[in-house]
Amino acid sequence: MRSLTRPGLARSASYQFKNVTVALARNMSTEAVATSPGSAVCHLPTSMPASAAPNPSLSGTVVKVQKGNMPPGFRATVGNFDTFELPQHVTGCAGDVAMGRAIIQAWRRDGILQFTMTPEQKRLRDAAFSASKRFFKLPYQEKARCVDDQSYAGYIASGEEITDGVADYSEIFTVTKDLPLEDQRVQAGWPCHGPCPWPTRIGMKNAMKAYMDELARCGEVLLGLTEAGLGLEPGALTKYTADGWHHSRVLRFPARHQTNGKGKEGRGIGSHTDYGLLVISAQDNVGGLFVRPPYQGEDYANWKSSAAGMKENDEGWVYVPPQDDCFTVILGDMMQYLTNSFLKSTPHKVGLNNAERYTIAYFHEPNFQAVVKPIEDFSNGDQSVSFHEDAEQDNGVHYGTHFTNMFMRNYPDRITTKRLIEENRYPLLATKELCTMDANRVEEL
Ligand SMILES: O=C(O)CCC(=O)C(=O)O
Ligand SMILES: [Fe+2]
């Protein structure tokens, strides 16, 4: 097996560190477990990685897992990720800073972390998964009617989604912002804006709405902790998520065919990165997800050129074992761009297993109109990072354009893509109106 070096907190060539005190990523600073003085409400990771107990995800051991767990035909390290218990609110207390730093270290080391579900979150998750199962059991004709020609929301049949030119066998219901036809943005023909074509009778709309509202709250908490961990002003990240383009993919993966869950006839989802800030997922107990931790020398910028298909068949993937009552959180392209790759968008892929698999991925995103700009100065514990001298001299990334590009590429034959092209809507993305969030919400755009 090719040996892969992990960056830990090592500087990348384009970073300029001030006060370089580089701690080993694995050697968690004591600050990370320090409680806030006099605070009873501070919250700490439920399982902090102890430096004495190496995280197996880093051991480099290749493990063959028994049937019914890791999809057959795959070789990967089995992950054992840091698990956090999130606070209800972020106040900026010492505990928030400590947890923010621990969260950042986990993402920089593993590309993924977990947080535990509250009883209420378990209830919402169960209701959403039940609705998902009711939906996918509907007759094909009924599911196929759940399509909209202006938004990308609705049903995606198995084999319809294309990643890196190859069909994926996931069956999906996408939920995007459910905008009525009278909405001004829909009237104006803004790309991707339109209703969500919910199925009738099966209670999916209410279940998904309640689930996504709760994850939107968690997404804001995670961004708040990330701000605290990076030493940023409150709002440095969350200013982008006002009326964020949050969406979800409700997924069902069929059981594999004879092709070992790989290749044209049996791939779950090919390797890719997702587009926005955070992806918060819940999976059932079947297993199929793999993530690729940040490796030195592996640099992708999916907003510039597609990262789909990268390293798909290489060594170095980490299996994400189903973990009872935990959400996983990976990072998206906009988080990478904002932090100048200090936090990288997490490559991941899905293999088909012996049994069908259900999962729901929630995407916590910037506002569709947001133009995201890299943050010039931040810190991570003792380590300060500045991009003043190296900052890319570009005009930022327009999130709505990135989202539209991704969906047009993944669904080239969908009615939504055809209408977008026929009505020449794409150039609207470059107009001032579509590239500027409300000035009260995001300054300096
Ligand atoms: O199935 C999963 O766990 C992940 C799904 C995924 O990567 C996606 O929907 O973009
Ligand atoms: Fe994904």
Coordinates of all heavy atoms in Angstrom, one line a residue, residues 329-404:
V329 N -20.5 14.9 10.3 CA -20.4 16.2 9.6 C -19.1 16.2 8.8 O -18.0 16.0 9.3 CB -20.3 17.3 10.6 CG1 -20.5 18.7 9.9 CG2 -21.4 17.2 11.7
I330 N -19.3 16.4 7.5 CA -18.1 16.6 6.6 C -18.2 18.1 6.1 O -19.2 18.8 6.3 CB -18.0 15.6 5.5 CG1 -19.3 15.7 4.6 CG2 -17.8 14.2 6.1 CD1 -19.1 14.8 3.3
L331 N -17.2 18.5 5.4 CA -17.1 19.9 5.0 C -17.3 20.0 3.5 O -17.0 19.1 2.7 CB -15.7 20.4 5.3 CG -15.3 20.4 6.8 CD1 -13.9 20.9 7.0 CD2 -16.3 21.3 7.6
G332 N -17.8 21.1 3.1 CA -18.1 21.4 1.7 C -17.1 22.4 1.0 O -16.3 23.0 1.7
D333 N -17.3 22.6 -0.3 CA -16.3 23.4 -1.0 C -16.2 24.9 -0.5 O -15.2 25.5 -0.5 CB -16.8 23.5 -2.5 CG -16.8 22.1 -3.2 OD1 -16.1 21.2 -2.7 OD2 -17.6 22.0 -4.1
M334 N -17.4 25.4 -0.1 CA -17.3 26.8 0.3 C -16.5 27.0 1.6 O -15.9 28.0 1.8 CB -18.7 27.4 0.4 CG -19.4 27.6 -0.9 SD -18.6 28.6 -2.1 CE -17.7 27.4 -3.1
M335 N -16.6 26.0 2.5 CA -15.8 26.1 3.7 C -14.3 26.0 3.3 O -13.5 26.8 3.9 CB -16.1 24.9 4.6 CG -15.4 25.0 6.0 SD -16.0 26.4 6.9 CE -17.2 25.5 8.0
Q336 N -13.9 25.2 2.3 CA -12.5 25.2 1.9 C -12.1 26.6 1.3 O -11.1 27.1 1.6 CB -12.4 24.1 0.8 CG -10.9 24.0 0.3 CD -10.7 22.9 -0.7 OE1 -11.5 21.9 -0.8 NE2 -9.7 23.1 -1.6
Y337 N -13.0 27.1 0.5 CA -12.6 28.4 -0.2 C -12.5 29.5 0.9 O -11.6 30.3 0.8 CB -13.7 28.7 -1.2 CG -13.4 30.0 -2.0 CD1 -12.4 30.0 -2.9 CD2 -14.1 31.2 -1.7 CE1 -12.0 31.2 -3.6 CE2 -13.8 32.3 -2.4 CZ -12.8 32.3 -3.3 OH -12.4 33.5 -3.9
L338 N -13.5 29.5 1.8 CA -13.5 30.6 2.8 C -12.2 30.5 3.7 O -11.7 31.6 4.1 CB -14.7 30.3 3.8 CG -15.9 31.1 3.5 CD1 -17.1 30.5 4.3 CD2 -15.8 32.5 3.9
T339 N -11.7 29.3 4.0 CA -10.6 29.2 4.9 C -9.3 29.0 4.1 O -8.3 28.5 4.6 CB -10.8 28.0 5.9 OG1 -10.9 26.8 5.1 CG2 -12.0 28.2 6.7
N340 N -9.3 29.3 2.8 CA -8.1 29.1 2.0 C -7.5 27.7 2.2 O -6.3 27.6 2.3 CB -7.1 30.2 2.3 CG -6.8 31.0 1.1 OD1 -6.6 30.6 0.0 ND2 -6.8 32.4 1.4
S341 N -8.4 26.7 2.2 CA -8.0 25.3 2.3 C -7.4 24.9 3.6 O -6.9 23.8 3.8 CB -7.0 24.9 1.2 OG -7.6 25.0 -0.1
F342 N -7.5 25.8 4.6 CA -7.2 25.3 6.0 C -8.1 24.2 6.4 O -7.7 23.2 7.0 CB -7.3 26.5 7.0 CG -6.8 26.3 8.3 CD1 -5.4 26.2 8.6 CD2 -7.6 26.1 9.4 CE1 -4.9 26.0 9.9 CE2 -7.2 25.8 10.7 CZ -5.8 25.8 10.9
L343 N -9.4 24.4 6.1 CA -10.3 23.3 6.2 C -10.7 22.9 4.8 O -11.2 23.7 4.1 CB -11.6 23.8 7.0 CG -11.3 24.1 8.5 CD1 -12.6 24.8 9.1 CD2 -11.0 22.9 9.3
K344 N -10.5 21.6 4.5 CA -10.8 21.2 3.1 C -12.1 20.5 3.0 O -12.5 19.7 3.9 CB -9.7 20.2 2.7 CG -8.4 20.9 2.5 CD -7.3 20.0 1.9 CE -6.1 20.8 1.5 NZ -5.0 19.9 1.2
S345 N -12.7 20.7 1.8 CA -13.9 19.9 1.4 C -13.6 18.4 1.4 O -12.5 18.0 0.9 CB -14.3 20.4 0.0 OG -15.5 20.0 -0.3
T346 N -14.5 17.6 2.0 CA -14.1 16.2 2.3 C -14.6 15.3 1.1 O -15.8 15.2 0.9 CB -14.9 15.7 3.6 OG1 -14.7 16.7 4.6 CG2 -14.4 14.4 4.0
P347 N -13.6 14.7 0.4 CA -14.0 13.8 -0.7 C -14.7 12.6 0.0 O -14.3 12.1 1.1 CB -12.7 13.4 -1.3 CG -11.7 14.4 -0.9 CD -12.1 14.9 0.4
H348 N -15.7 12.1 -0.6 CA -16.4 10.9 -0.1 C -17.1 10.2 -1.3 O -17.2 10.7 -2.4 CB -17.4 11.3 1.0 CG -18.4 12.3 0.6 ND1 -18.1 13.6 0.4 CD2 -19.8 12.2 0.3 CE1 -19.2 14.3 0.0 NE2 -20.2 13.5 0.0
K349 N -17.4 8.9 -1.0 CA -18.0 8.1 -2.1 C -18.9 7.0 -1.3 O -18.7 6.8 -0.1 CB -17.0 7.4 -2.9 CG -16.1 6.4 -2.1 CD -15.0 5.8 -3.0 CE -14.2 4.7 -2.2 NZ -13.2 4.0 -3.0
V350 N -19.8 6.4 -2.1 CA -20.7 5.4 -1.4 C -20.6 4.1 -2.2 O -20.8 4.1 -3.5 CB -22.1 5.9 -1.4 CG1 -23.0 4.9 -0.7 CG2 -22.2 7.3 -0.7
G351 N -20.4 3.0 -1.5 CA -20.5 1.7 -2.2 C -21.8 1.0 -1.9 O -22.4 1.3 -0.8
L352 N -22.3 0.2 -2.8 CA -23.5 -0.6 -2.6 C -23.2 -1.8 -1.7 O -22.1 -2.3 -1.8 CB -24.1 -1.1 -3.9 CG -24.5 0.0 -4.9 CD1 -25.2 -0.7 -6.1 CD2 -25.4 1.0 -4.3
N353 N -24.1 -2.1 -0.8 CA -23.9 -3.2 0.1 C -24.8 -4.4 -0.2 O -25.5 -4.3 -1.2 CB -24.1 -2.6 1.6 CG -23.2 -3.3 2.6 OD1 -22.9 -4.5 2.4 ND2 -22.7 -2.5 3.5
N354 N -24.7 -5.4 0.7 CA -25.6 -6.6 0.4 C -27.0 -6.3 0.7 O -27.9 -7.0 0.2 CB -25.1 -7.7 1.3 CG -23.8 -8.2 0.9 OD1 -23.5 -8.3 -0.3 ND2 -22.9 -8.6 1.8
A355 N -27.3 -5.3 1.5 CA -28.7 -4.9 1.8 C -29.0 -3.5 1.2 O -28.0 -2.7 1.1 CB -28.9 -5.0 3.3
E356 N -30.2 -3.2 1.1 CA -30.5 -1.8 0.7 C -30.2 -0.8 1.8 O -30.2 -1.3 3.0 CB -31.9 -1.6 0.2 CG -33.0 -1.7 1.3 CD -34.4 -1.4 0.8 OE1 -34.6 -1.0 -0.4 OE2 -35.3 -1.5 1.6
R357 N -29.8 0.4 1.5 CA -29.3 1.3 2.5 C -30.1 2.6 2.4 O -30.3 3.1 1.3 CB -27.8 1.5 2.3 CG -27.2 2.6 3.2 CD -25.7 2.7 3.0 NE -25.1 3.7 3.8 CZ -24.8 5.0 3.3 NH1 -25.1 5.2 2.0 NH2 -24.3 5.9 4.1
Y358 N -30.5 3.2 3.5 CA -31.1 4.5 3.6 C -30.3 5.5 4.3 O -29.6 5.2 5.3 CB -32.5 4.4 4.3 CG -33.5 3.6 3.5 CD1 -33.6 2.2 3.6 CD2 -34.4 4.3 2.7 CE1 -34.5 1.5 2.9 CE2 -35.3 3.5 1.9 CZ -35.4 2.2 2.1 OH -36.3 1.5 1.4
T359 N -30.2 6.7 3.8 CA -29.5 7.8 4.4 C -30.1 9.1 4.1 O -30.8 9.2 3.0 CB -28.0 7.7 4.0 OG1 -27.3 8.7 4.7 CG2 -27.8 7.8 2.6
I360 N -29.9 10.1 4.9 CA -30.4 11.5 4.6 C -29.2 12.4 4.8 O -28.6 12.5 5.9 CB -31.6 11.9 5.4 CG1 -32.7 11.0 5.3 CG2 -32.0 13.3 5.0 CD1 -34.0 11.3 6.1
A361 N -28.8 13.1 3.7 CA -27.7 14.1 3.8 C -28.4 15.5 3.8 O -29.1 15.8 2.9 CB -26.8 13.9 2.7
Y362 N -28.0 16.3 4.8 CA -28.5 17.7 4.9 C -27.3 18.6 4.6 O -26.2 18.4 5.1 CB -29.1 17.9 6.3 CG -29.2 19.4 6.6 CD1 -30.3 20.1 6.1 CD2 -28.2 20.1 7.3 CE1 -30.4 21.5 6.4 CE2 -28.3 21.5 7.5 CZ -29.4 22.2 7.0 OH -29.5 23.5 7.3
F363 N -27.5 19.6 3.7 CA -26.5 20.5 3.3 C -26.7 21.9 3.8 O -27.7 22.5 3.5 CB -26.4 20.5 1.7 CG -26.2 19.1 1.1 CD1 -27.3 18.3 1.0 CD2 -25.0 18.7 0.8 CE1 -27.1 17.0 0.5 CE2 -24.8 17.4 0.2 CZ -25.9 16.6 0.1
H364 N -25.8 22.3 4.7 CA -25.9 23.7 5.3 C -25.1 24.6 4.4 O -23.9 24.6 4.4 CB -25.4 23.6 6.7 CG -25.9 24.7 7.6 ND1 -27.2 24.9 8.0 CD2 -25.2 25.8 8.1 CE1 -27.3 26.0 8.7 NE2 -26.1 26.6 8.8
E365 N -25.8 25.6 3.8 CA -25.2 26.3 2.7 C -25.3 27.8 2.8 O -26.1 28.4 3.6 CB -26.0 26.0 1.4 CG -26.2 24.5 1.1 CD -24.9 23.8 0.7 OE1 -24.6 23.8 -0.5 OE2 -24.2 23.2 1.6
P366 N -24.4 28.5 2.1 CA -24.6 30.0 2.0 C -25.9 30.3 1.3 O -26.5 29.5 0.7 CB -23.4 30.4 1.1 CG -22.5 29.3 1.1 CD -23.3 28.0 1.3
N367 N -26.3 31.6 1.4 CA -27.4 32.1 0.6 C -27.1 31.9 -0.8 O -25.9 32.1 -1.2 CB -27.5 33.6 1.0 CG -28.7 34.2 0.3 OD1 -28.8 34.4 -0.9 ND2 -29.7 34.6 1.2
F368 N -28.1 31.7 -1.6 CA -27.8 31.4 -3.1 C -27.1 32.6 -3.7 O -26.3 32.5 -4.6 CB -29.2 31.2 -3.8 CG -29.1 30.6 -5.2 CD1 -29.1 29.3 -5.4 CD2 -29.1 31.5 -6.3 CE1 -29.0 28.7 -6.6 CE2 -29.0 30.9 -7.6 CZ -28.9 29.6 -7.7
Q369 N -27.4 33.8 -3.2 CA -26.9 35.1 -3.8 C -25.5 35.4 -3.3 O -24.9 36.4 -3.7 CB -27.8 36.2 -3.5 CG -29.1 36.2 -4.2 CD -30.1 37.0 -3.5 OE1 -30.9 36.5 -2.7 NE2 -30.1 38.3 -3.8
A370 N -25.0 34.7 -2.3 CA -23.8 35.1 -1.6 C -22.6 34.9 -2.5 O -22.4 34.0 -3.2 CB -23.6 34.2 -0.3
V371 N -21.7 35.9 -2.4 CA -20.4 35.9 -3.0 C -19.4 35.6 -1.9 O -19.3 36.5 -1.0 CB -20.1 37.1 -3.8 CG1 -18.7 37.0 -4.4 CG2 -21.1 37.4 -4.9
V372 N -18.9 34.5 -1.8 CA -18.0 34.1 -0.7 C -16.6 34.5 -0.9 O -16.1 34.4 -2.0 CB -18.1 32.5 -0.5 CG1 -17.2 32.0 0.5 CG2 -19.5 32.1 -0.3
K373 N -16.0 35.1 0.1 CA -14.6 35.6 0.0 C -13.8 34.9 1.1 O -14.2 34.7 2.2 CB -14.6 37.1 0.3 CG -15.4 38.0 -0.6 CD -14.5 38.5 -1.7 CE -15.3 39.2 -2.8 NZ -15.9 40.5 -2.4
P374 N -12.5 34.6 0.8 CA -11.6 34.0 1.8 C -11.4 34.9 3.0 O -11.4 36.1 2.8 CB -10.3 33.8 1.0 CG -10.7 33.9 -0.4 CD -11.8 34.8 -0.5
I375 N -11.3 34.3 4.1 CA -11.1 35.0 5.4 C -9.6 35.3 5.4 O -8.8 34.3 5.3 CB -11.5 34.2 6.6 CG1 -13.0 33.9 6.5 CG2 -11.2 34.9 7.9 CD1 -13.4 32.8 7.4
E376 N -9.2 36.5 5.7 CA -7.7 36.8 5.6 C -6.9 36.4 6.8 O -5.8 36.0 6.7 CB -7.6 38.3 5.3 CG -8.1 38.6 3.9 CD -7.7 40.0 3.4 OE1 -7.5 40.8 4.3 OE2 -7.8 40.2 2.2
D377 N -7.5 36.5 8.0 CA -6.8 36.2 9.2 C -7.6 35.3 10.1 O -8.8 35.7 10.4 CB -6.5 37.5 10.0 CG -5.5 38.3 9.3 OD1 -4.3 37.9 9.2 OD2 -5.9 39.4 8.9
F378 N -7.0 34.3 10.6 CA -7.7 33.5 11.7 C -6.6 32.8 12.4 O -5.4 32.8 12.1 CB -8.8 32.6 11.1 CG -8.3 31.7 10.0 CD1 -7.7 30.5 10.3 CD2 -8.5 32.0 8.7 CE1 -7.3 29.6 9.2 CE2 -8.2 31.2 7.6 CZ -7.6 30.0 7.9
S379 N -7.0 32.2 13.5 CA -6.1 31.4 14.3 C -6.7 30.1 14.7 O -7.9 29.9 14.6 CB -5.7 32.2 15.6 OG -6.9 32.4 16.4
N380 N -5.8 29.2 15.2 CA -6.3 27.9 15.6 C -5.5 27.6 16.8 O -4.4 27.0 16.7 CB -6.1 26.9 14.5 CG -6.7 25.6 14.8 OD1 -6.1 24.6 14.6 ND2 -7.9 25.6 15.4
G381 N -5.9 28.0 18.0 CA -5.1 27.8 19.2 C -3.9 28.7 19.1 O -4.1 29.9 18.8
D382 N -2.7 28.2 19.2 CA -1.5 29.0 19.2 C -1.1 29.4 17.8 O -0.2 30.2 17.6 CB -0.3 28.3 19.8 CG -0.6 28.1 21.3 OD1 -1.2 28.9 21.9 OD2 -0.1 27.0 21.8
Q383 N -1.8 28.9 16.8 CA -1.3 29.0 15.5 C -2.2 30.1 14.8 O -3.4 30.0 14.7 CB -1.5 27.7 14.8 CG -1.2 27.6 13.4 CD -1.7 26.2 12.8 OE1 -2.5 25.6 13.4 NE2 -1.3 25.9 11.7
S384 N -1.5 31.1 14.3 CA -2.2 32.1 13.5 C -2.0 32.0 12.0 O -0.9 31.6 11.6 CB -1.7 33.5 13.9 OG -2.1 33.8 15.2
V385 N -3.0 32.2 11.3 CA -2.9 32.0 9.8 C -3.3 33.3 9.1 O -4.3 33.9 9.5 CB -3.8 30.9 9.4 CG1 -3.6 30.6 7.9 CG2 -3.5 29.6 10.1
S386 N -2.5 33.7 8.2 CA -2.8 35.0 7.5 C -2.6 34.7 6.0 O -1.7 34.1 5.6 CB -1.8 36.1 8.0 OG -2.0 37.2 7.1
F387 N -3.5 35.3 5.3 CA -3.4 35.1 3.8 C -3.3 36.4 3.1 O -3.4 36.5 1.9 CB -4.7 34.4 3.3 CG -4.8 33.0 3.8 CD1 -5.8 32.7 4.8 CD2 -4.0 32.0 3.4 CE1 -5.9 31.5 5.3 CE2 -4.1 30.7 3.9 CZ -5.1 30.5 4.8
H388 N -2.9 37.5 3.9 CA -2.8 38.8 3.3 C -2.0 38.8 2.0 O -2.4 39.3 1.0 CB -2.2 39.8 4.3 CG -3.2 40.2 5.3 ND1 -4.3 40.9 5.0 CD2 -3.3 39.9 6.6 CE1 -5.0 41.1 6.1 NE2 -4.4 40.5 7.1
E389 N -0.8 38.2 2.1 CA 0.1 38.3 1.0 C -0.2 37.3 -0.1 O 0.1 37.5 -1.2 CB 1.5 38.0 1.5 CG 2.0 39.2 2.3 CD 3.3 38.9 3.0 OE1 4.0 38.0 2.6 OE2 3.5 39.6 4.1
D390 N -0.9 36.2 0.3 CA -1.1 35.2 -0.7 C -2.6 35.1 -1.2 O -2.9 34.3 -2.0 CB -0.8 33.8 -0.1 CG 0.7 33.7 0.3 OD1 1.5 34.2 -0.5 OD2 0.9 33.2 1.4
A391 N -3.4 36.0 -0.6 CA -4.8 35.9 -0.9 C -5.0 35.9 -2.4 O -4.4 36.7 -3.1 CB -5.6 37.0 -0.2
E392 N -5.9 35.0 -2.9 CA -6.2 35.0 -4.3 C -6.8 36.3 -4.7 O -7.7 36.8 -4.1 CB -7.2 33.9 -4.6 CG -6.5 32.5 -4.6 CD -7.5 31.5 -5.0 OE1 -8.2 31.7 -6.1 OE2 -7.7 30.5 -4.3
Q393 N -6.3 36.9 -5.8 CA -6.9 38.2 -6.2 C -8.1 37.9 -7.2 O -8.0 38.1 -8.3 CB -5.8 38.9 -7.0 CG -4.6 39.4 -6.1 CD -5.1 40.2 -5.0 OE1 -5.8 41.2 -5.2 NE2 -4.7 39.8 -3.7
D394 N -9.1 37.3 -6.6 CA -10.3 37.1 -7.4 C -11.5 37.7 -6.8 O -11.4 38.3 -5.7 CB -10.5 35.6 -7.7 CG -10.7 34.8 -6.4 OD1 -11.2 35.4 -5.4 OD2 -10.4 33.6 -6.4
N395 N -12.6 37.6 -7.4 CA -13.7 38.3 -6.9 C -14.6 37.4 -6.0 O -15.8 37.8 -5.9 CB -14.6 38.8 -8.1 CG -13.7 39.8 -8.9 OD1 -13.0 40.6 -8.3 ND2 -13.8 39.7 -10.2
G396 N -14.1 36.4 -5.5 CA -14.9 35.5 -4.7 C -15.6 34.5 -5.5 O -15.5 34.4 -6.7
V397 N -16.3 33.6 -4.8 CA -17.1 32.6 -5.5 C -18.6 32.8 -5.3 O -19.0 33.0 -4.1 CB -16.7 31.1 -5.0 CG1 -17.7 30.1 -5.6 CG2 -15.3 30.8 -5.4
H398 N -19.3 32.9 -6.3 CA -20.8 33.1 -6.2 C -21.4 31.7 -6.0 O -21.3 30.8 -6.8 CB -21.3 33.7 -7.5 CG -22.8 33.8 -7.4 ND1 -23.6 33.4 -8.4 CD2 -23.6 34.4 -6.5 CE1 -24.9 33.6 -8.1 NE2 -24.9 34.2 -6.9
Y399 N -21.9 31.5 -4.8 CA -22.4 30.2 -4.4 C -23.5 29.7 -5.3 O -23.5 28.5 -5.7 CB -22.9 30.2 -2.9 CG -23.7 28.9 -2.6 CD1 -23.0 27.7 -2.4 CD2 -25.1 28.9 -2.6 CE1 -23.6 26.5 -2.2 CE2 -25.7 27.7 -2.4 CZ -25.0 26.5 -2.2 OH -25.7 25.3 -2.0
G400 N -24.4 30.5 -5.7 CA -25.5 30.1 -6.6 C -25.0 29.6 -7.9 O -25.6 28.6 -8.5
T401 N -24.0 30.2 -8.4 CA -23.4 29.7 -9.7 C -22.7 28.3 -9.5 O -22.9 27.4 -10.3 CB -22.3 30.7 -10.2 OG1 -23.0 31.9 -10.5 CG2 -21.7 30.2 -11.5
H402 N -22.0 28.2 -8.4 CA -21.4 26.9 -8.1 C -22.5 25.8 -8.0 O -22.3 24.7 -8.5 CB -20.6 27.0 -6.8 CG -19.8 25.8 -6.4 ND1 -19.1 25.0 -7.4 CD2 -19.6 25.1 -5.2 CE1 -18.5 24.0 -6.8 NE2 -18.9 24.0 -5.5
F403 N -23.5 26.1 -7.2 CA -24.6 25.1 -7.0 C -25.2 24.8 -8.4 O -25.4 23.6 -8.7 CB -25.7 25.7 -6.1 CG -26.9 24.8 -5.9 CD1 -26.9 23.9 -4.8 CD2 -28.0 24.9 -6.7 CE1 -28.0 23.1 -4.6 CE2 -29.1 24.0 -6.6 CZ -29.1 23.1 -5.5
T404 N -25.5 25.8 -9.2 CA -26.1 25.5 -10.5 C -25.2 24.7 -11.4 O -25.7 23.7 -12.0 CB -26.5 26.9 -11.2 OG1 -27.3 27.7 -10.3 CG2 -27.3 26.7 -12.5

